[in-house]
Amino acid sequence: MAFNSKLVLAGFTAGSLLVYILCVKLEGPLSWSIEPLRHFHGFSQEPNSSSRDSEEPLDRKNSSERWSRPSPASTLHPQLPSATALQGNTSAHTPAPTSETQTAAEPQAPARSTSRSAAVGGTRGSTRGPTLKPQRSTEPPFIGDAYMSEDVPAQTNCTDGVRSRVAQTEFGGRFLRHIPVLQWANHVSRDQYLRLTQYPGAHGWEGVDYNTLVEALSVLNSSANRQMLDDWSSRSNGSECTRCAVVGNGGILKESGKGQEIDSHHYVFRTNGAVIKGFEQDVGSRTTHYTFSTNTLMNSMGSYAGLGFTGPPLSQETRYVFLPEHDRDYLLVKAAATHTAVERGRERAKDPTKYFGEDVTAEKLKMYHPDFTRYLRNRFLRSGTLKTKYKSIYRPTTGAVMLLAALHSCDQVSAYGFMTPDYKNYSDHYYDRNYHPVGFYVNHDMRMEMTLWQQLHQAGLMRLYMHK
Ligand SMILES: *[C@@H]1O[C@H](CO)[C@@H](O)[C@H](O)[C@H]1NC(C)=O
Ligand SMILES: *[C@@H]1O[C@H](CO)[C@@H](O)[C@H](O)[C@H]1NC(C)=O
Ligand SMILES: *[C@@H]1O[C@H](CO)[C@@H](O)[C@H](O)[C@H]1NC(C)=O
Ligand SMILES: *[C@@H]1O[C@H](CO)[C@@H](O)[C@H](O)[C@H]1NC(C)=O
Ligand SMILES: *[C@@H]1O[C@H](CO)[C@@H](O)[C@H](O)[C@H]1NC(C)=O
Protein backbone atom coordinates (compact mmCIF):
# COMPACT_ATOMS: atom_id res chain seq x y z
CA MET A 1 0.00 0.00 0.00
CA ALA A 2 1.39 3.40 -0.93
CA PHE A 3 0.49 4.81 2.42
CA ASN A 4 2.86 2.48 4.12
CA SER A 5 5.75 4.34 2.64
CA LYS A 6 8.44 5.47 4.95
CA LEU A 7 8.18 8.73 6.68
CA VAL A 8 11.43 10.52 6.59
CA LEU A 9 11.55 12.72 9.62
CA ALA A 10 13.85 15.58 10.21
CA GLY A 11 16.76 14.64 12.32
CA PHE A 12 19.54 16.76 13.65
CA THR A 13 23.20 16.24 14.24
CA ALA A 14 25.28 18.79 16.04
CA GLY A 15 27.53 21.00 13.99
CA SER A 16 25.78 20.55 10.69
CA LEU A 17 22.72 21.79 8.95
CA LEU A 18 19.62 19.67 8.77
CA VAL A 19 20.48 16.09 8.25
CA TYR A 20 17.77 13.63 7.57
CA ILE A 21 18.74 10.54 9.47
CA LEU A 22 15.64 9.12 10.91
CA CYS A 23 13.49 6.85 8.89
CA VAL A 24 10.40 5.80 10.72
CA LYS A 25 8.04 3.33 9.33
CA LEU A 26 4.55 3.94 10.53
CA GLU A 27 2.89 0.64 10.87
CA GLY A 28 -0.49 -0.41 12.00
CA PRO A 29 -3.43 -2.50 11.16
CA LEU A 30 -4.86 -1.67 7.77
CA SER A 31 -8.17 -0.73 9.27
CA TRP A 32 -6.76 2.46 10.69
CA SER A 33 -3.58 3.01 8.81
CA ILE A 34 -5.30 4.69 5.91
CA GLU A 35 -6.73 7.64 7.68
CA PRO A 36 -3.78 8.73 9.79
CA LEU A 37 -1.34 8.28 6.98
CA ARG A 38 -3.49 10.37 4.70
CA HIS A 39 -2.94 13.11 7.17
CA PHE A 40 0.55 12.42 8.34
CA HIS A 41 2.22 11.62 5.11
CA GLY A 42 5.61 12.98 5.91
CA PHE A 43 8.56 14.29 4.09
CA SER A 44 8.71 11.93 1.25
CA GLN A 45 10.91 13.01 -1.59
CA GLU A 46 7.94 13.44 -3.87
CA PRO A 47 6.24 16.64 -2.85
CA ASN A 48 3.42 16.04 -5.28
CA SER A 49 2.15 13.08 -3.38
CA SER A 50 2.54 14.41 0.11
CA SER A 51 -0.53 15.69 1.84
CA ARG A 52 1.44 16.22 5.01
CA ASP A 53 -1.33 16.96 7.41
CA SER A 54 -4.73 18.28 8.10
CA GLU A 55 -7.01 18.87 10.98
CA GLU A 56 -9.83 17.90 8.71
CA PRO A 57 -10.43 14.18 8.94
CA LEU A 58 -11.49 12.52 5.76
CA ASP A 59 -13.42 9.79 7.37
CA ARG A 60 -15.35 10.73 10.42
CA LYS A 61 -16.40 7.19 11.11
CA ASN A 62 -12.90 6.37 12.17
CA SER A 63 -12.85 8.86 15.00
CA SER A 64 -12.42 6.31 17.73
CA GLU A 65 -9.32 5.13 16.01
CA ARG A 66 -7.72 8.49 15.67
CA TRP A 67 -4.34 9.00 17.08
CA SER A 68 -4.36 10.45 20.50
CA ARG A 69 -1.73 12.39 22.25
CA PRO A 70 -0.05 10.22 24.84
CA SER A 71 -0.62 12.28 27.96
CA PRO A 72 -3.34 14.87 27.81
CA ALA A 73 -2.65 16.16 31.28
CA SER A 74 0.89 17.14 30.42
CA THR A 75 -0.25 19.73 27.93
CA LEU A 76 -2.94 21.38 29.97
CA HIS A 77 -0.38 23.65 31.56
CA PRO A 78 2.32 23.76 28.95
CA GLN A 79 5.74 24.38 30.38
CA LEU A 80 7.03 25.55 27.02
CA PRO A 81 10.06 23.55 28.02
CA SER A 82 12.58 24.30 25.37
CA ALA A 83 10.92 27.59 24.64
CA THR A 84 11.91 29.18 27.90
CA ALA A 85 15.36 29.66 26.51
CA LEU A 86 13.93 31.64 23.62
CA GLN A 87 11.08 33.73 24.77
CA GLY A 88 12.20 37.25 25.34
CA ASN A 89 15.71 35.93 25.17
CA THR A 90 18.06 37.01 22.48
CA SER A 91 21.17 35.34 23.73
CA ALA A 92 20.77 32.38 21.45
CA HIS A 93 21.13 34.40 18.31
CA THR A 94 23.15 37.20 17.01
CA PRO A 95 21.38 39.14 14.33
CA ALA A 96 22.92 38.51 10.97
CA PRO A 97 24.64 41.32 9.10
CA THR A 98 21.48 42.11 7.18
CA SER A 99 18.65 43.47 9.23
CA GLU A 100 16.42 40.63 8.24
CA THR A 101 16.72 38.80 11.48
CA GLN A 102 14.66 39.97 14.30
CA THR A 103 14.61 39.09 17.90
CA ALA A 104 12.38 39.76 20.80
CA ALA A 105 14.59 42.64 21.82
CA GLU A 106 13.23 44.95 19.20
CA PRO A 107 12.25 48.42 20.35
CA GLN A 108 8.76 48.84 21.72
CA ALA A 109 8.16 52.11 19.91
CA PRO A 110 5.56 51.61 17.21
CA ALA A 111 6.81 51.91 13.68
CA ARG A 112 6.10 55.25 12.14
CA SER A 113 8.36 54.91 9.19
CA THR A 114 6.70 55.87 5.98
CA SER A 115 8.86 53.80 3.73
CA ARG A 116 9.18 50.10 3.52
CA SER A 117 12.37 48.73 4.88
CA ALA A 118 15.12 48.12 2.41
CA ALA A 119 15.68 44.84 4.14
CA VAL A 120 12.64 43.31 2.57
CA GLY A 121 13.39 40.40 0.39
CA GLY A 122 17.11 40.48 0.91
CA THR A 123 17.37 42.75 -2.07
CA ARG A 124 20.49 44.51 -0.98
CA GLY A 125 22.93 42.30 -2.70
CA SER A 126 24.06 40.08 0.10
CA THR A 127 24.75 36.63 -1.16
CA ARG A 128 22.99 34.83 1.62
CA GLY A 129 20.02 35.29 3.85
CA PRO A 130 20.52 35.75 7.54
CA THR A 131 22.92 33.19 8.88
CA LEU A 132 22.09 31.60 12.13
CA LYS A 133 25.01 31.35 14.46
CA PRO A 134 25.72 27.93 15.87
CA GLN A 135 23.02 27.35 18.35
CA ARG A 136 22.92 25.97 21.82
CA SER A 137 22.22 22.34 22.16
CA THR A 138 18.78 23.19 23.51
CA GLU A 139 17.80 24.56 20.13
CA PRO A 140 18.30 22.45 17.03
CA PRO A 141 18.57 24.32 13.70
CA PHE A 142 15.15 23.24 12.45
CA ILE A 143 13.62 25.65 14.97
CA GLY A 144 15.01 28.74 13.22
CA ASP A 145 13.96 31.44 15.67
CA ALA A 146 15.11 34.32 13.47
CA TYR A 147 12.74 36.07 11.12
CA MET A 148 12.45 38.71 8.50
CA SER A 149 11.56 42.13 9.80
CA GLU A 150 9.58 44.81 8.00
CA ASP A 151 9.02 48.40 8.83
CA VAL A 152 5.49 49.27 7.81
CA PRO A 153 3.46 52.17 9.12
CA ALA A 154 0.73 51.26 11.56
CA GLN A 155 -2.71 51.25 9.97
CA THR A 156 -4.38 52.93 12.91
CA ASN A 157 -3.43 54.95 15.94
CA CYS A 158 -5.66 52.89 18.19
CA THR A 159 -4.72 53.47 21.81
CA ASP A 160 -6.70 50.52 23.09
CA GLY A 161 -5.49 47.67 20.93
CA VAL A 162 -3.33 44.57 21.03
CA ARG A 163 -0.21 46.41 19.97
CA SER A 164 -0.49 49.05 22.64
CA ARG A 165 -1.26 46.54 25.35
CA VAL A 166 0.95 43.57 24.60
CA ALA A 167 4.16 44.99 26.08
CA GLN A 168 2.56 45.03 29.51
CA THR A 169 1.57 41.38 29.34
CA GLU A 170 3.40 38.10 29.65
CA PHE A 171 3.39 38.00 25.84
CA GLY A 172 5.43 41.19 25.47
CA GLY A 173 8.75 39.40 25.12
CA ARG A 174 7.78 37.03 22.38
CA PHE A 175 5.53 39.27 20.30
CA LEU A 176 7.27 40.59 17.18
CA ARG A 177 5.44 43.59 15.82
CA HIS A 178 7.57 43.84 12.69
CA ILE A 179 7.35 40.28 11.48
CA PRO A 180 5.65 39.99 8.08
CA VAL A 181 2.35 38.17 8.49
CA LEU A 182 1.91 37.83 4.73
CA GLN A 183 4.37 37.05 1.95
CA TRP A 184 4.25 38.80 -1.41
CA ALA A 185 6.26 39.46 -4.56
CA ASN A 186 9.12 41.32 -2.92
CA HIS A 187 9.84 38.47 -0.55
CA VAL A 188 11.18 36.01 -3.06
CA SER A 189 14.86 36.19 -3.85
CA ARG A 190 17.75 33.75 -4.05
CA ASP A 191 18.88 34.79 -0.57
CA GLN A 192 15.50 34.20 0.93
CA TYR A 193 15.22 30.94 -0.93
CA LEU A 194 18.47 29.71 0.61
CA ARG A 195 17.27 30.73 4.05
CA LEU A 196 13.73 29.41 3.88
CA THR A 197 14.38 26.11 2.14
CA GLN A 198 15.90 25.03 5.46
CA TYR A 199 12.39 24.69 6.83
CA PRO A 200 9.77 22.28 5.56
CA GLY A 201 5.99 22.43 5.35
CA ALA A 202 4.23 25.56 6.54
CA HIS A 203 7.45 26.80 8.16
CA GLY A 204 9.54 27.37 5.06
CA TRP A 205 10.00 26.68 1.39
CA GLU A 206 11.66 23.29 1.50
CA GLY A 207 10.51 21.15 -1.41
CA VAL A 208 9.11 24.06 -3.41
CA ASP A 209 11.14 24.86 -6.49
CA TYR A 210 12.34 28.37 -7.05
CA ASN A 211 10.46 29.00 -10.27
CA THR A 212 7.20 27.90 -8.75
CA LEU A 213 7.71 30.37 -5.92
CA VAL A 214 8.66 33.21 -8.22
CA GLU A 215 5.69 32.62 -10.48
CA ALA A 216 3.28 32.40 -7.57
CA LEU A 217 4.52 35.25 -5.44
CA SER A 218 4.92 37.62 -8.36
CA VAL A 219 1.14 37.65 -8.78
CA LEU A 220 0.91 38.90 -5.20
CA ASN A 221 2.33 42.32 -5.92
CA SER A 222 -0.22 44.88 -4.79
CA SER A 223 -0.76 46.60 -1.46
CA ALA A 224 -3.79 44.36 -0.91
CA ASN A 225 -1.49 41.35 -0.99
CA ARG A 226 0.71 42.66 1.77
CA GLN A 227 -1.90 44.13 4.06
CA MET A 228 -4.31 41.91 5.95
CA LEU A 229 -6.92 44.67 6.33
CA ASP A 230 -6.42 46.12 2.88
CA ASP A 231 -9.70 48.03 2.65
CA TRP A 232 -9.62 49.68 6.06
CA SER A 233 -9.77 53.22 4.73
CA SER A 234 -13.13 52.52 3.14
CA ARG A 235 -14.44 50.77 6.25
CA SER A 236 -13.25 52.76 9.21
CA ASN A 237 -16.21 55.15 9.31
CA GLY A 238 -14.34 57.21 11.84
CA SER A 239 -13.28 54.32 14.04
CA GLU A 240 -9.81 54.57 15.56
CA CYS A 241 -9.49 50.82 16.03
CA THR A 242 -9.95 47.80 13.80
CA ARG A 243 -12.27 45.19 15.31
CA CYS A 244 -12.07 41.60 14.11
CA ALA A 245 -14.20 38.58 14.89
CA VAL A 246 -12.32 35.32 14.40
CA VAL A 247 -14.65 32.38 14.05
CA GLY A 248 -13.51 28.82 14.61
CA ASN A 249 -15.79 25.90 13.85
CA GLY A 250 -16.21 24.61 17.40
CA GLY A 251 -19.44 23.11 18.67
CA ILE A 252 -19.60 25.79 21.39
CA LEU A 253 -21.17 28.05 18.77
CA LYS A 254 -24.21 25.86 18.30
CA GLU A 255 -27.25 27.70 19.63
CA SER A 256 -25.03 30.54 20.79
CA GLY A 257 -27.05 33.26 19.08
CA LYS A 258 -23.78 35.10 18.41
CA GLY A 259 -24.35 35.70 14.69
CA GLN A 260 -25.31 39.35 14.86
CA GLU A 261 -22.50 40.16 17.27
CA ILE A 262 -19.98 38.45 15.00
CA ASP A 263 -21.23 40.28 11.91
CA SER A 264 -21.02 43.63 13.68
CA HIS A 265 -17.20 43.57 13.68
CA HIS A 266 -15.33 45.36 10.91
CA TYR A 267 -13.82 42.05 9.80
CA VAL A 268 -14.93 38.44 10.12
CA PHE A 269 -12.36 35.65 9.79
CA ARG A 270 -13.29 32.02 9.11
CA THR A 271 -11.44 28.85 8.23
CA ASN A 272 -11.69 25.42 6.62
CA GLY A 273 -15.11 23.75 6.82
CA ALA A 274 -16.94 26.94 7.76
CA VAL A 275 -20.57 26.10 7.02
CA ILE A 276 -22.66 29.28 7.11
CA LYS A 277 -25.98 28.56 5.44
CA GLY A 278 -28.54 27.63 8.06
CA PHE A 279 -26.29 28.71 10.96
CA GLU A 280 -26.39 32.50 10.51
CA GLN A 281 -28.04 33.08 13.90
CA ASP A 282 -25.14 31.42 15.65
CA VAL A 283 -22.12 32.20 13.49
CA GLY A 284 -23.09 35.23 11.40
CA SER A 285 -23.10 35.44 7.66
CA ARG A 286 -20.20 37.67 6.66
CA THR A 287 -16.69 36.48 5.81
CA THR A 288 -13.98 39.01 5.07
CA HIS A 289 -11.07 36.58 5.45
CA TYR A 290 -11.15 32.88 4.75
CA THR A 291 -8.01 30.96 5.84
CA PHE A 292 -7.09 27.52 4.54
CA SER A 293 -4.35 25.47 3.02
CA THR A 294 -5.02 23.74 -0.27
CA ASN A 295 -4.84 20.46 1.59
CA THR A 296 -7.27 21.44 4.34
CA LEU A 297 -9.64 23.02 1.82
CA MET A 298 -9.78 19.90 -0.31
CA ASN A 299 -10.19 17.72 2.78
CA SER A 300 -12.97 19.96 4.10
CA MET A 301 -14.79 19.84 0.79
CA GLY A 302 -14.52 16.08 0.93
CA SER A 303 -15.40 15.60 4.58
CA TYR A 304 -18.09 18.18 5.15
CA ALA A 305 -19.95 18.29 1.86
CA GLY A 306 -22.69 16.24 3.48
CA LEU A 307 -22.94 18.78 6.28
CA GLY A 308 -23.29 21.71 3.90
CA PHE A 309 -19.75 22.81 3.16
CA THR A 310 -19.55 23.39 -0.57
CA GLY A 311 -16.41 25.51 -0.68
CA PRO A 312 -14.94 28.80 0.50
CA PRO A 313 -17.48 31.54 1.26
CA LEU A 314 -18.10 33.76 -1.75
CA SER A 315 -18.86 37.42 -1.33
CA GLN A 316 -17.65 40.71 -2.63
CA GLU A 317 -15.81 41.43 0.63
CA THR A 318 -14.18 38.00 1.03
CA ARG A 319 -10.40 37.66 0.85
CA TYR A 320 -8.72 34.25 0.56
CA VAL A 321 -5.74 33.72 2.84
CA PHE A 322 -3.58 30.75 1.95
CA LEU A 323 -1.57 28.94 4.59
CA PRO A 324 1.04 27.44 2.28
CA GLU A 325 2.53 24.15 3.34
CA HIS A 326 3.29 22.66 -0.02
CA ASP A 327 3.82 23.60 -3.65
CA ARG A 328 0.12 22.84 -4.14
CA ASP A 329 -0.62 26.16 -2.48
CA TYR A 330 1.74 28.14 -4.68
CA LEU A 331 0.30 26.49 -7.78
CA LEU A 332 -3.28 27.19 -6.74
CA VAL A 333 -2.73 30.82 -5.78
CA LYS A 334 -1.14 31.53 -9.15
CA ALA A 335 -3.97 29.80 -10.98
CA ALA A 336 -6.55 31.78 -8.99
CA ALA A 337 -4.87 35.12 -9.68
CA THR A 338 -4.55 34.45 -13.39
CA HIS A 339 -7.83 32.55 -13.96
CA THR A 340 -5.95 29.63 -15.44
CA ALA A 341 -6.16 25.93 -14.69
CA VAL A 342 -3.74 24.59 -12.08
CA GLU A 343 -0.76 23.44 -14.11
CA ARG A 344 0.36 20.37 -12.19
CA GLY A 345 0.22 18.47 -8.95
CA ARG A 346 -2.77 17.15 -7.06
CA GLU A 347 -5.08 19.92 -8.34
CA ARG A 348 -3.86 19.68 -11.93
CA ALA A 349 -6.37 21.07 -14.46
CA LYS A 350 -8.73 22.26 -11.73
CA ASP A 351 -10.45 25.57 -12.39
CA PRO A 352 -9.73 27.92 -9.45
CA THR A 353 -12.88 29.96 -10.01
CA LYS A 354 -14.81 26.89 -8.87
CA TYR A 355 -13.39 27.54 -5.40
CA PHE A 356 -12.96 31.30 -5.25
CA GLY A 357 -15.67 32.53 -7.60
CA GLU A 358 -15.74 33.99 -11.09
CA ASP A 359 -14.69 37.42 -9.91
CA VAL A 360 -11.62 36.36 -7.94
CA THR A 361 -8.69 38.67 -8.57
CA ALA A 362 -5.11 38.80 -7.34
CA GLU A 363 -6.15 41.56 -4.94
CA LYS A 364 -8.44 39.12 -3.13
CA LEU A 365 -5.63 36.67 -2.44
CA LYS A 366 -3.16 36.65 0.42
CA MET A 367 -0.66 34.15 1.68
CA TYR A 368 0.90 33.73 5.12
CA HIS A 369 4.65 34.13 5.31
CA PRO A 370 6.42 30.94 6.42
CA ASP A 371 8.43 33.02 8.89
CA PHE A 372 5.16 33.97 10.54
CA THR A 373 3.95 30.40 10.86
CA ARG A 374 7.35 29.25 12.17
CA TYR A 375 7.36 32.12 14.66
CA LEU A 376 3.93 31.09 15.91
CA ARG A 377 5.11 27.52 16.32
CA ASN A 378 8.32 28.55 18.06
CA ARG A 379 7.07 31.26 20.35
CA PHE A 380 3.39 30.58 20.99
CA LEU A 381 2.81 26.89 20.31
CA ARG A 382 6.10 25.17 20.95
CA SER A 383 4.63 21.77 21.56
CA GLY A 384 6.46 18.90 23.17
CA THR A 385 5.76 17.14 19.88
CA LEU A 386 8.80 19.00 18.55
CA LYS A 387 10.92 16.77 20.76
CA THR A 388 9.50 13.62 19.25
CA LYS A 389 9.87 11.86 15.96
CA TYR A 390 6.75 13.67 14.79
CA LYS A 391 8.41 17.08 14.92
CA SER A 392 8.47 17.48 11.18
CA ILE A 393 4.73 17.09 10.76
CA TYR A 394 3.74 19.29 13.68
CA ARG A 395 2.31 22.72 13.02
CA PRO A 396 -0.25 25.04 14.63
CA THR A 397 -3.76 24.33 13.39
CA THR A 398 -5.10 26.45 10.56
CA GLY A 399 -7.49 28.06 13.05
CA ALA A 400 -4.61 28.91 15.39
CA VAL A 401 -2.63 30.56 12.60
CA MET A 402 -5.76 32.53 11.66
CA LEU A 403 -6.41 33.72 15.23
CA LEU A 404 -2.79 34.65 15.93
CA ALA A 405 -2.62 36.42 12.57
CA ALA A 406 -5.65 38.48 13.58
CA LEU A 407 -3.87 39.36 16.82
CA HIS A 408 -0.96 40.63 14.73
CA SER A 409 -3.19 42.53 12.28
CA CYS A 410 -6.25 43.85 14.15
CA ASP A 411 -6.48 46.20 17.12
CA GLN A 412 -9.27 44.30 18.86
CA VAL A 413 -10.01 40.63 18.48
CA SER A 414 -12.97 38.54 19.58
CA ALA A 415 -12.61 34.79 19.15
CA TYR A 416 -15.62 32.52 18.77
CA GLY A 417 -15.80 28.78 18.27
CA PHE A 418 -12.32 28.05 19.62
CA MET A 419 -11.64 25.23 22.03
CA THR A 420 -12.37 25.88 25.70
CA PRO A 421 -11.60 23.76 28.78
CA ASP A 422 -15.14 22.39 28.76
CA TYR A 423 -14.79 21.22 25.16
CA LYS A 424 -16.18 17.80 26.03
CA ASN A 425 -19.56 19.43 26.52
CA TYR A 426 -19.68 20.37 22.86
CA SER A 427 -19.49 18.53 19.62
CA ASP A 428 -16.42 18.92 17.44
CA HIS A 429 -18.18 21.37 15.07
CA TYR A 430 -21.21 23.60 15.40
CA TYR A 431 -22.66 22.01 12.28
CA ASP A 432 -22.37 18.39 13.41
CA ARG A 433 -25.76 16.73 13.29
CA ASN A 434 -24.95 14.47 16.22
CA TYR A 435 -22.48 14.82 19.05
CA HIS A 436 -19.03 14.07 17.77
CA PRO A 437 -16.06 14.34 20.16
CA VAL A 438 -13.15 16.61 19.35
CA GLY A 439 -10.41 14.62 17.62
CA PHE A 440 -6.76 14.99 18.54
CA TYR A 441 -4.02 14.39 16.00
CA VAL A 442 -0.30 14.21 16.50
CA ASN A 443 0.33 16.91 13.88
CA HIS A 444 -1.36 19.54 16.06
CA ASP A 445 -1.48 20.29 19.76
CA MET A 446 -5.00 21.48 20.38
CA ARG A 447 -4.73 21.27 24.15
CA MET A 448 -1.78 23.61 24.06
CA GLU A 449 -3.77 25.92 21.78
CA MET A 450 -6.69 25.81 24.19
CA THR A 451 -4.40 26.89 27.04
CA LEU A 452 -2.97 29.69 24.89
CA TRP A 453 -6.47 31.04 24.18
CA GLN A 454 -7.16 31.12 27.90
CA GLN A 455 -3.90 32.98 28.54
CA LEU A 456 -4.52 35.53 25.79
CA HIS A 457 -8.02 36.11 27.10
CA GLN A 458 -6.81 36.54 30.66
CA ALA A 459 -4.06 38.89 29.51
CA GLY A 460 -6.76 41.09 27.94
CA LEU A 461 -5.37 40.70 24.44
CA MET A 462 -8.52 39.13 23.04
CA ARG A 463 -12.01 38.25 24.08
CA LEU A 464 -12.71 34.53 23.93
CA TYR A 465 -16.29 33.36 23.73
CA MET A 466 -16.79 30.81 26.51
CA HIS A 467 -20.54 30.39 26.59
CA LYS A 468 -20.85 31.99 30.01
C1 LIG B 1 17.99 33.57 28.53
O1 LIG B 1 18.40 32.24 28.42
C2 LIG B 1 19.38 31.91 29.39
C3 LIG B 1 19.86 30.49 29.09
O2 LIG B 1 18.77 29.64 28.90
C4 LIG B 1 18.76 32.04 30.77
O3 LIG B 1 19.72 31.70 31.76
C5 LIG B 1 18.31 33.47 30.98
O4 LIG B 1 17.64 33.58 32.21
C6 LIG B 1 17.36 33.86 29.86
N1 LIG B 1 17.03 35.28 29.96
C7 LIG B 1 15.80 35.73 29.86
C8 LIG B 1 15.65 37.21 29.94
O5 LIG B 1 14.82 35.00 29.74
C1 LIG C 1 -1.22 58.35 13.41
O1 LIG C 1 -0.64 59.49 14.02
C2 LIG C 1 0.44 60.04 13.31
C3 LIG C 1 1.04 61.16 14.13
O2 LIG C 1 0.05 61.95 14.73
C4 LIG C 1 -0.03 60.50 11.94
O3 LIG C 1 1.03 61.04 11.22
C5 LIG C 1 -0.59 59.31 11.21
O4 LIG C 1 -1.10 59.70 9.96
C6 LIG C 1 -1.69 58.64 12.01
N1 LIG C 1 -2.08 57.43 11.35
C7 LIG C 1 -3.33 57.11 11.14
C8 LIG C 1 -3.57 55.83 10.44
O5 LIG C 1 -4.26 57.78 11.52
C1 LIG D 1 5.83 44.50 -8.61
O1 LIG D 1 5.39 45.80 -8.92
C2 LIG D 1 6.45 46.74 -9.00
C3 LIG D 1 5.86 48.14 -9.14
O2 LIG D 1 4.76 48.14 -9.98
C4 LIG D 1 7.36 46.37 -10.16
O3 LIG D 1 8.41 47.28 -10.26
C5 LIG D 1 7.91 44.99 -9.89
O4 LIG D 1 8.71 44.57 -10.97
C6 LIG D 1 6.80 43.99 -9.65
N1 LIG D 1 7.37 42.76 -9.18
C7 LIG D 1 7.08 41.60 -9.73
C8 LIG D 1 7.77 40.42 -9.16
O5 LIG D 1 6.24 41.48 -10.61
C1 LIG E 1 -20.93 55.15 10.50
O1 LIG E 1 -20.95 55.85 11.74
C2 LIG E 1 -22.17 56.52 12.00
C3 LIG E 1 -22.02 57.34 13.26
O2 LIG E 1 -21.22 56.72 14.19
C4 LIG E 1 -23.28 55.47 12.11
O3 LIG E 1 -24.50 56.11 12.35
C5 LIG E 1 -23.36 54.70 10.81
O4 LIG E 1 -24.29 53.65 10.92
C6 LIG E 1 -22.00 54.09 10.47
N1 LIG E 1 -22.06 53.49 9.17
C7 LIG E 1 -21.68 52.26 8.94
C8 LIG E 1 -21.76 51.80 7.54
O5 LIG E 1 -21.26 51.51 9.83
C1 LIG F 1 -20.20 20.42 31.10
O1 LIG F 1 -20.45 19.08 31.48
C2 LIG F 1 -20.21 18.83 32.86
C3 LIG F 1 -20.43 17.36 33.10
O2 LIG F 1 -20.65 16.66 31.95
C4 LIG F 1 -21.15 19.68 33.70
O3 LIG F 1 -20.89 19.46 35.07
C5 LIG F 1 -20.92 21.13 33.36
O4 LIG F 1 -21.84 21.94 34.05
C6 LIG F 1 -21.06 21.36 31.87
N1 LIG F 1 -20.73 22.73 31.60
C7 LIG F 1 -21.45 23.48 30.79
C8 LIG F 1 -20.94 24.87 30.55
O5 LIG F 1 -22.45 23.08 30.23
Side-chain angles (χ1 to χ4, degrees), residues 63 67 137 178 248 386 410 454:
S63 63
W67 292 12
S137 59
H178 298 301
L386 290 170
C410 309
Q454 294 289 304

Side-chain angles (χ1 to χ4, degrees), residues 119-428:
V120 170
T123 52
R124 291 185 302 162
S126 62
T127 52
R128 287 197 54 121
T131 312
L132 299 185
K133 284 232 167 169
Q135 292 166 27
R136 285 184 308 220
S137 59
T138 49
E139 191 181 314
F142 79 86
I143 292 293
D145 189 39
Y147 314 95
M148 180 184 277
S149 177
E150 283 187 335
D151 212 359
V152 287
Q155 257 184 306
T156 64
N157 284 330
C158 179
T159 52
D160 184 28
V162 176
R163 280 162 184 253
S164 54
R165 267 187 256 156
V166 69
Q168 278 77 55
T169 71
E170 59 180 300
F171 293 97
R174 51 181 130 156
F175 190 93
L176 299 180
R177 62 188 69 223
H178 298 301
I179 192 166
V181 175
L182 301 170
Q183 61 179 334
W184 60 288
N186 236 26
H187 288 159
V188 64
S189 67
R190 285 284 175 191
D191 295 347
Q192 292 298 312
Y193 190 67
L194 275 176
R195 183 175 72 87
L196 285 168
T197 46
Q198 296 178 88
Y199 313 112
H203 306 113
W205 290 340
E206 193 213 78
V208 183
D209 70 66
Y210 187 67
N211 288 338
T212 302
L213 275 170
V214 170
E215 287 177 17
L217 294 184
S218 62
V219 302
L220 305 177
N221 195 23
S222 71
S223 59
N225 301 125
R226 44 187 200 255
Q227 270 192 319
M228 188 66 89
L229 311 180
D230 58 86
D231 59 355
W232 174 241
S233 57
S234 66
R235 266 180 208 278
S236 63
N237 194 18
S239 171
E240 280 291 301
C241 303
T242 52
R243 290 184 293 106
C244 299
V246 184
V247 187
N249 296 325
I252 193 171
L253 275 172
K254 192 175 185 180
E255 282 152 35
S256 66
K258 286 284 154 184
Q260 213 171 8
E261 183 180 309
I262 287 169
D263 279 347
S264 74
H265 291 73
H266 294 114
Y267 295 96
V268 181
F269 289 58
R270 301 183 196 272
T271 187
N272 288 340
V275 184
I276 293 171
K277 197 162 183 289
F279 298 91
E280 292 88 348
Q281 293 269 334
D282 294 332
V283 307
S285 55
R286 297 174 52 214
T287 306
T288 59
H289 293 76
Y290 175 76
T291 287
F292 62 100
S293 76
T294 304
N295 190 47
T296 65
L297 172 60
M298 298 306 156
N299 287 349
S300 299
M301 291 180 72
S303 298
Y304 307 128
L307 296 167
F309 184 72
T310 53
L314 299 175
S315 80
Q316 203 260 320
E317 65 174 348
T318 307
R319 310 298 191 244
Y320 301 98
V321 194
F322 285 71
L323 171 55
E325 48 182 353
H326 197 273
D327 63 357
R328 290 167 78 184
D329 299 289
Y330 294 96
L331 293 165
L332 183 58
V333 81
K334 179 190 148 198
T338 55
H339 283 222
T340 53
V342 178
E343 66 186 47
R344 59 190 159 83
R346 189 89 64 90
E347 281 68 52
R348 201 182 73 80
K350 292 258 165 60
D351 174 2
T353 66
K354 290 244 164 28
Y355 308 118
F356 309 113
E358 293 292 339
D359 57 356
V360 64
T361 59
E363 286 72 28
K364 294 183 127 204
L365 307 171
K366 304 177 197 293
M367 192 174 243
Y368 291 110
H369 198 294
D371 270 356
F372 183 68
T373 314
R374 201 172 69 259
Y375 151 79
L376 299 182
R377 179 196 70 181
N378 290 342
R379 297 191 176 211
F380 294 87
L381 290 164
R382 185 177 288 225
S383 173
T385 305
L386 290 170
K387 291 188 161 173
T388 72
K389 64 187 177 184
Y390 301 113
K391 59 175 165 292
S392 57
I393 58 171
Y394 170 77
R395 72 158 167 82
T397 62
T398 314
V401 174
M402 166 177 76
L403 179 45
L404 289 162
L407 283 163
H408 284 74
S409 312
C410 309
D411 294 317
Q412 295 166 3
V413 173
S414 316
Y416 303 84
F418 282 80
M419 204 161 117
T420 51
D422 61 348
Y423 67 90
K424 287 184 180 149
N425 293 35
Y426 315 106
S427 190
D428 197 359

